DNA sequence: GTATGTGCAAACCCTTTGCGCACTT
DNA sequence: AAGTGCGCAAAGGGTTTGCACATAC
């Protein structure tokens, strides 16, 4: 298990926990642990991963609690739920900045990107079809460029 | 075999069935029925819908067969599997022409669109990140425009 | 005739939920 | 103290699979 040692060190209130407080969510010990896990994640973990990382801090936490908390946090706009096409939900901190994901299909690595021109184009495509875009999902699946060519 | 030839005799071979033959797939009656259902679909049906439509032609067909056939057809590039974000697979005839979907979140209607400029942009985004795009998923979720433009 | 496909039901995976106890406010 | 959250295990929805029988080539 590759847990960072500072998982166990005393921590200041995380950004995510602060967001939760602002939204008036009741903060339990389990939710605080999950906040820490989410704040320290630099990937896009699924529920199982979040559960395992949380269980490393508090072994009594239940995966049902993780599911319930993910839903709660998502509805409170604290985190964002992703569908990266592998049949389970993944989560990231909600940074209120629209972006998409490029998935390296060899390594599973996920790279974030944003592009204003792209946003404008999507909006225009929707408008041309008679729609206002209210949401959008875009993932690019790719392989590292071959040095040749 | 208990099925009446009646069901099939007046039908021309569908485009999808022809594709299956070209790919060398063994054609059973169940698969032929599913080919008809898929050929006649003008929506993006899920497995349950395909199963019901097929069962209207051959009541003895099993949903397991539909699942197996969908996978087979998808792997043979006869149909394309879609993920429209509602937790179940949807399918469309594979027209070998890259396009995406706009989902009307009020009515559930799905509109197809393609845009070369968009394709180029995606490819460039991937390239700029050091990747060759091998696949891509894009759905726009929208509501009918309220104001006239 | 043999390999392959099918129907059925059980199994699977991810996720949700009913219940009684524990906790936050 | 009241109301909410938690852990557990069972249930749910979509999908896959083991088995014995049926079918295509």
């Amino acid at each position: 298990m590759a847990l960072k040692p500072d998982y166990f060190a005393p921590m200041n209130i995380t950004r995510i926990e602060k967001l939760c407080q602002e939204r008036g969510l009741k903060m339990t010990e389990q939710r605080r642990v999950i906040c820490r896990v989410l704040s320290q994640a630099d990937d896009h973990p699924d529920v199982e991963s979040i559960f395992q990382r949380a269980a490393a801090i508090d072994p009594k936490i239940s995966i049902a609690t993780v599911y319930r908390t993910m839903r709660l946090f998502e509805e409170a706009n604290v985190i964002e739920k992703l569908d990266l096409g592998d049949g389970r939900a993944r989560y990231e901190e909600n940074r209120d900045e629209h972006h998409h994901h490029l998935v390296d299909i060899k390594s599973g690595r996920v790279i974030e990107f944003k592009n204003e021109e792209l946003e404008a184009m999507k909006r225009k495509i929707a408008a041309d079809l008679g729609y206002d875009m209210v949401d959008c999902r875009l993932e690019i699946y790719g392989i590292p460029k071959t040095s040749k060519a």
Side-chain angles (χ1 to χ4, degrees), chain A residues 9 11 16 34 50-51 61 64 69 79 82 116 135 143 148:
Chain A
M11 276 210 63
I16 291 183
I34 291 172
I50 296 166
F51 169 60
I61 201 167
T69 304
I79 58 175
L82 310 178
E116 285 310 327
D135 196 8
I143 53 174
K148 292 202 144 193

Side-chain angles (χ1 to χ4, degrees), chain A residues 2 5 7 24 43 49 65 70 72 77 80 89 103 115 123 141:
Chain A
Y7 260 61
D43 51 354
S49 299
T65 296
M70 291 301 106
L72 178 77
N77 270 304
E80 209 166 307
V103 181
N115 186 306
R123 234 165 269 282
Y141 298 89

Side-chain angles (χ1 to χ4, degrees), chain A residues 114-137:
Chain A
K114 68 193 262 290
N115 186 306
E116 285 310 327
E117 212 183 328
L118 184 66
E119 296 307 310
M121 188 170 300
K122 290 185 308 191
R123 234 165 269 282
K124 180 174 190 314
I125 287 170
D128 288 348
L129 292 169
Y131 282 81
D132 286 325
M133 178 172 88
V134 299
D135 196 8
C136 166
R137 169 173 167 203

Side-chain angles (χ1 to χ4, degrees), chain A residues 37-127:
Chain A
V37 168
L38 292 172
S39 289
Q40 294 178 339
D42 57 349
D43 51 354
H44 301 77
D46 59 18
V47 168
E48 182 64 30
S49 299
I50 296 166
F51 169 60
Q52 284 175 13
R53 295 174 200 180
I57 303 174
D58 171 8
K60 294 180 308 306
I61 201 167
S62 152
I63 197 167
T65 296
V66 178
Y67 274 107
R68 280 189 275 235
T69 304
M70 291 301 106
R71 177 138 63 132
L72 178 77
F73 284 6
E74 192 203 348
E75 286 169 354
N77 270 304
V78 167
I79 58 175
E80 209 166 307
K81 184 187 205 167
L82 310 178
D83 176 355
L84 262 32
D86 59 356
R88 57 218 155 130
R90 297 176 171 274
Y91 294 92
E92 67 182 12
E93 203 175 331
N94 183 2
R95 273 159 297 130
D96 281 326
E97 123 188 320
H98 198 55
H99 66 271
H100 297 295
H101 299 91
L102 185 153
V103 181
D104 182 330
I105 58 177
K106 292 275 194 252
S107 70
R109 181 170 165 235
V110 177
I111 299 171
E112 303 181 353
F113 67 86
K114 68 193 262 290
N115 186 306
E116 285 310 327
E117 212 183 328
L118 184 66
E119 296 307 310
M121 188 170 300
K122 290 185 308 191
R123 234 165 269 282
K124 180 174 190 314
I125 287 170

